[in-house]
Amino acid sequence: MPVSVPSFGLPASVWFIIACYGAIMLAGALTMPFPTRVDELPHLSVIRAQFEHPTLFPDWSQYHVLREDDLTRWSSNANYINHPSLYYLLLAPLMLVTGDPLLFRIANVLIATIALLIGVVAVHRRFGCDNLSPALFALIAASFPKAMIVGGMINNDNLSALAAAALFGGLLGLPGAGWWVLAGLAIAGWTKLTAFLALAAVSGLWLAWQWTRGRMGWTDRLVAFAIIGLLIGAIPYLVTLARTGHVLWVNDMIWRVPSAARETLDLPAFTIRFFRTMIWKWPAMEGIYPLSLAFAGLLAPLLPMAVAVRYEAVRHFVIAYAGATIFLLAVHFVFGWRSYQQMGDLTIMQARYYNILWPGIALAAAFVIDRWRRRWPLLAWIAVGLCLLPTWLGGMIYMLI
């Protein structure tokens, strides 16, 4: 009997985009030298540690990094990973097959591809082809600048993306919506603090908007699922707080810059440095474009998102995701400023932290660009091109060199 592969009613063009997305990530997984500089060796080291001694609540201060020249042996170098254990526990059983990083990279490609698929299916079910081109959404959703690069690496950003897709799908009304919301928040919490904070803000703003419009009460089943998801997601940080007095353990010895080597920045200078660096890091290949062109690539999805608030069909998503973006940016900035003040660290400016908010941004941008496509096709294609420029071209150049 032939095996039936579900199509989810998606057009062939959408499957082509998803296939290209997965293929580019797989090509990266196969060709990028290991380890990349995006924390791959530290992540693989924690997977190995969790394979050897699995635990829900690790003592991160005791973890070390594997030797780069021999991945079966430990070095004396301390690890700086401080994320909850879910990602590492999920991938640790693969060590029974092999410790080859390629297998773990391929697992990440699958996770990232499934995340995109969930988002596209949710949008297609909610809006249909007549109200929003699923291919256009898929193209923009696949265009978060570092998604294709990180998708081919060992990195918990990929599990964060899956959590983001689950929450996004639940808010869009996938069957069993409450469970999708619960899973998204719980997985985010057990994967990465930035993901948990951002998705908690999305769900809180979305539910508050529904309540103020009389569409949902606080006793609604979806609210209960969201609260349970938040409580589950908060557990690792509450445990860390009880153990250390902080919600997140930070390896000061690695991130602390000697006083003599620190740059001297006051708050205005740090603010300029923060936002310039975020813009510079926006493309998949950092520094590939002039700052002005990188900024245009950043504005390309954000400006249509600002216009999308006019449309009732997506207004509540715009409010939720735009508000959560502002919230995460504020937290990110404050944490970065404190990290600089206390340790002289200037590495906190990472644009890839915002991957968890991309599904909502992509939905709003695609919704508006789809309407431009019908009235001003040239404007629409320019907007799409600018959305793709930081990702598809930059990602492929990154992997080629």
Side-chain angles (χ1 to χ4, degrees):
M1 180 179 294
V3 177
S4 176
V5 178
S7 68
F8 304 108
L10 297 174
S13 58
V14 175
W15 284 110
F16 177 74
I17 292 169
I18 294 173
C20 288
Y21 183 73
I24 293 172
M25 290 189 295
L26 182 59
L30 294 170
T31 60
M32 287 185 291
F34 179 89
T36 63
R37 62 179 182 270
V38 192
D39 305 331
E40 259 201 307
L41 185 59
H43 281 302
L44 181 64
S45 299
V46 179
I47 294 170
R48 165 66 73 174
Q50 286 284 23
F51 173 70
E52 294 179 355
H53 304 288
T55 176
L56 282 176
F57 306 107
D59 180 356
W60 299 114
S61 64
Q62 300 302 308
Y63 278 21
H64 288 77
V65 178
L66 293 167
R67 286 182 52 169
E68 191 171 332
D69 61 342
D70 184 355
L71 296 176
T72 65
R73 299 172 61 189
W74 293 101
S75 73
S76 59
N77 298 327
N79 205 328
Y80 55 79
I81 294 296
N82 57 1
H83 303 299
S85 58
L86 179 61
Y87 174 76
Y88 311 101
L89 288 171
L90 285 176
L91 294 186
L94 295 179
M95 286 286 177
L96 291 170
V97 180
T98 179
D100 187 339
L102 179 59
L103 179 60
F104 298 89
R105 283 181 167 185
I106 292 173
N108 277 266
V109 170
L110 290 174
I111 292 171
T113 305
I114 291 170
L116 176 62
L117 177 60
I118 291 171
V120 174
V121 169
V123 166
H124 184 54
R125 284 181 60 93
R126 176 66 174 261
F127 294 98
C129 292
D130 293 336
N131 294 312
L132 175 59
S133 165
L136 179 60
F137 171 76
L139 196 59
I140 297 177
S143 295
F144 183 80
K146 288 188 172 56
M148 290 185 195
I149 295 176
V150 175
M153 297 179 187
I154 304 166
N155 196 296
N156 67 346
D157 281 0
N158 296 308
L159 189 58
S160 295
L162 185 63
L167 179 74
F168 181 69
L171 297 183
L172 278 170
L174 281 177
W179 290 105
W180 285 100
V181 169
L182 188 156
L185 292 170
I187 293 171
W190 279 85
T191 303
K192 197 168 188 175
L193 180 59
T194 50
F196 183 56
L197 291 174
L199 295 189
V202 167
S203 59
L205 289 168
W206 189 88
L207 291 170
W209 178 266
Q210 300 297 325
W211 177 74
T212 59
R213 294 299 181 272
R215 299 171 185 168
M216 184 177 294
W218 292 114
T219 58
D220 190 275
R221 189 165 178 261
L222 190 63
V223 177
F225 276 103
I227 291 173
I228 293 170
L230 288 169
L231 292 175
I232 294 173
I235 290 172
Y237 309 105
L238 295 175
V239 171
T240 303
L241 180 64
R243 284 179 171 180
T244 68
H246 304 279
V247 294
L248 202 65
W249 172 80
V250 175
N251 191 330
D252 289 358
M253 298 301 295
I254 289 180
W255 300 117
R256 186 172 296 281
V257 178
S259 298
R262 293 183 187 182
E263 295 187 48
T264 302
L265 300 173
D266 57 13
L267 183 57
F270 176 84
T271 302
I272 294 171
R273 174 70 169 270
F274 181 91
F275 287 103
R276 282 181 62 89
T277 303
M278 290 289 287
I279 295 169
W280 182 76
K281 284 178 172 286
W282 181 247
M285 178 95 174
E286 296 170 6
I288 189 175
Y289 305 121
L291 195 67
S292 58
L293 191 54
F295 188 49
L298 174 60
L299 289 180
L302 297 182
L303 288 179
M305 186 184 187
V307 176
V309 76
R310 297 171 48 199
Y311 297 95
E312 178 64 27
V314 293
R315 184 175 298 142
H316 48 307
F317 289 99
V318 175
I319 297 296
Y321 279 89
T325 301
I326 294 170
F327 169 74
L328 181 59
L329 186 63
V331 172
H332 190 182
F333 179 85
V334 170
F335 184 82
W337 173 240
R338 290 185 61 188
S339 182
Y340 165 72
Q341 286 184 307
Q342 295 171 5
M343 298 183 293
D345 177 34
L346 287 170
T347 64
I348 196 66
M349 299 83 148
Q350 299 293 338
R352 61 187 173 87
Y353 295 163
Y354 295 80
N355 70 320
I356 58 264
L357 296 169
W358 191 251
I361 295 171
L363 171 60
F367 193 87
V368 170
I369 293 173
D370 195 37
R371 274 132 193 85
W372 289 351
R373 178 177 62 90
R374 302 170 192 182
R375 299 181 61 185
W376 308 296
L378 180 59
L379 177 61
W381 282 113
I382 291 173
V384 170
L386 287 172
C387 286
L388 302 185
L389 193 65
T391 301
W392 293 76
L393 178 60
M396 286 186 281
I397 290 175
Y398 179 92
M399 289 182 282
L400 286 173
I401 66 172

